């Protein structure tokens, strides 16, 4: 069931796919809709022309993000995805291209200045080279980092690790050394149990019960008339509070205001009611 909202995240524009497909012409390789958004695949060498046309002629003013994806089994393993936003139409579209480790992607810093930072991030994480970017340096990893962490063939532990050396008074790079051996995990069902004995489980190795004990008569359970009579007795029987209830109690004192020996109040006020009344002005 679709939920209507007064302020949707983006607007679904009817006929947008056909409109932009016709505008891009031979630059476009594929157009399809995914998750309510339009996805356009364009030629890698024409990415700057495609984005300029979408920005100037169709109102997609903002470049929100440039993301990368890695598919090692493909000939061109990388996908570079440009996410555009139209403020006037409240519409979002995605434009993507494919690249390999040896091919370069034209920069779009000529269209949006923030593309410089976004292209540096894709270069750092995936190794995609953007031709024309005047400052294509690493942005998230260290300057001497080797490899690209988001590639699916990159080891999770990395190739080298860095630490500060007190002897050399500087940061040094060393091969990765794990502090402990990686544990071996078995992926069997937790309800089936392991085939081996875990440490500590040998203490619980007790012989199984041959025959479960059952109670065939009330004598074995302790139930009967005697147990019922004992249950009717009061638990507090014989307690001091039970036996001396209402006896040897000190009577409560009389109210203070009714005592005759109470000394007379000092001052003009004799009773409480008049003391609370405001004084009358002359």
């Amino acid at each position: 069931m679709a939920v209507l909202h007064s302020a949707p995240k983006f607007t679904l524009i009817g006929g947008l796919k056909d409109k932009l497909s016709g505008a891009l012409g031979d630059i476009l390789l594929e157009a399809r809709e995914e998750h309510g958004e339009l996805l356009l695949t364009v030629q890698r060498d024409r990415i700057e022309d495609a984005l300029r046309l979408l920005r100037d002629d169709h109102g997609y003013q903002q470049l929100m993000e440039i993301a990368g994806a890695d598919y090692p089994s493909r000939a061109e393993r990388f996908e570079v995805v440009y996410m555009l936003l139209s403020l006037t139409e409240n519409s979002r579209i995605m434009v993507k291209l494919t690249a390999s480790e040896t091919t370069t992607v034209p920069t779009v810093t000529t269209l949006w200045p923030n593309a410089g930072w976004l292209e540096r991030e894709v270069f750092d994480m995936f190794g995609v080279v953007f031709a024309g970017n005047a400052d294509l340096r690493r942005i998230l990893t260290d300057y001497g980092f080797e490899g690209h962490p988001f590639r699916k063939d990159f080891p999770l532990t990395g190739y080298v690790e860095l630490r500060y050396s007190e002897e050399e008074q500087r940061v040094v790079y060393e091969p990765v050394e794990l502090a402990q051996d990686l544990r071996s995990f078995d992926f069997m069902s937790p309800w089936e149990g392991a085939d081996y004995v875990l440490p500590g489980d040998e203490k619980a190795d007790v012989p199984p019960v041959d025959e479960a004990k059952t109670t065939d008569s009330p004598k074995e359970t302790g139930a009967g008339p005697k147990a019922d009579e004992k249950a009717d007795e009061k638990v507090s029987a014989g307690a001091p509070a039970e036996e001396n209830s209402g006896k040897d109690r000190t009577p409560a004192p009389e109210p203070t205001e009714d005592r005759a020996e109470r000394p007379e109040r000092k001052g003009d006020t004799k009773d409480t009611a008049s003391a609370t009344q405001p004084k009358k002005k002359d």
Side-chain angles (χ1 to χ4, degrees):
M1 179 179 177
V3 180
L4 299 179
H5 196 281
S6 58
K9 294 182 179 180
F10 50 83
T11 304
L12 299 178
I13 302 176
L16 181 63
K17 175 181 176 182
D18 297 334
K19 178 182 178 181
L20 296 183
S21 298
L24 291 173
D26 59 348
I27 301 178
L28 183 67
L29 299 179
E30 183 186 9
R32 67 178 186 273
E33 294 182 357
E34 289 186 358
H35 309 293
E37 293 183 359
L38 182 60
L39 177 61
L40 305 172
T41 305
V42 300
Q43 297 182 25
R44 179 177 58 254
D45 298 336
R46 305 282 305 275
I47 181 63
E48 184 179 0
D49 298 334
L51 296 183
R52 178 181 287 107
L53 186 146
L54 294 172
R55 184 195 65 177
D56 298 343
D57 298 345
H58 298 277
Y60 288 91
Q61 304 96 343
Q62 292 193 0
L63 173 65
M64 303 303 296
E65 180 64 277
I66 301 179
D70 184 19
Y71 302 90
S73 59
R74 298 180 183 178
E76 294 188 341
R77 59 184 294 182
F78 302 117
E79 285 187 354
V80 182
V81 185
Y82 302 81
M83 304 177 188
L84 307 182
L85 169 64
S86 172
L87 298 176
T88 54
E89 301 293 340
N90 190 26
S91 174
R92 295 178 184 269
I93 62 173
M94 293 184 291
V95 182
K96 75 174 183 178
L97 55 86
T98 59
S100 66
E101 301 179 30
T102 58
T103 57
T104 59
V105 178
T107 183
V108 294
T109 52
T110 55
L111 304 177
W112 292 282
N114 67 318
W117 291 75
L118 301 176
E119 290 175 354
R120 286 177 60 183
E121 183 177 353
V122 176
F123 163 73
D124 193 359
M125 296 291 103
F126 294 93
V128 179
V129 178
F130 293 88
N133 190 316
D135 190 22
L136 195 62
R137 295 176 294 128
R138 292 188 180 271
I139 193 172
L140 297 178
T141 59
D142 189 71
Y143 294 113
F145 192 88
E146 296 182 4
H148 304 280
F150 280 4
R151 289 190 178 185
K152 292 182 179 178
D153 53 4
F154 186 83
L156 297 179
T157 57
Y159 295 109
V160 295
E161 60 184 0
L162 59 90
R163 66 176 181 86
Y164 182 78
S165 174
E166 291 289 349
E167 299 177 355
E168 302 183 24
Q169 298 294 313
R170 66 181 181 88
V171 175
V172 296
Y173 290 86
E174 297 175 344
V176 175
E177 293 183 3
L178 298 178
Q180 61 181 7
D181 294 337
L182 295 178
R183 303 182 214 172
S184 59
F185 296 92
D186 50 62
F187 299 96
M188 64 175 59
S189 171
W191 291 275
E192 295 176 357
D195 297 333
Y196 51 87
V197 179
L198 297 174
D201 285 358
E202 67 279 357
K203 301 177 182 178
D205 187 12
V206 295
V209 179
D210 296 334
E211 184 178 356
K213 183 179 180 181
T214 59
T215 55
D216 298 329
S217 65
K219 295 180 180 180
E220 298 181 0
T221 61
K226 294 183 179 180
D228 296 340
E229 291 177 3
K230 189 175 182 180
D232 292 338
E233 297 178 1
K234 291 185 178 180
V235 179
S236 61
E242 187 75 19
E243 294 180 354
N244 301 330
S245 177
K247 298 179 181 180
D248 300 331
R249 287 190 175 182
T250 303
E254 297 179 359
T256 306
E257 297 295 335
D258 297 338
R259 292 183 181 179
E261 66 274 11
R262 179 179 178 275
E264 187 178 357
R265 295 189 182 190
K266 296 181 180 181
D268 299 335
T269 303
K270 303 299 182 183
D271 55 348
T272 305
S274 61
T276 60
Q277 299 295 330
K279 295 182 179 181
K280 296 181 179 180
K281 295 182 180 181
D282 298 336

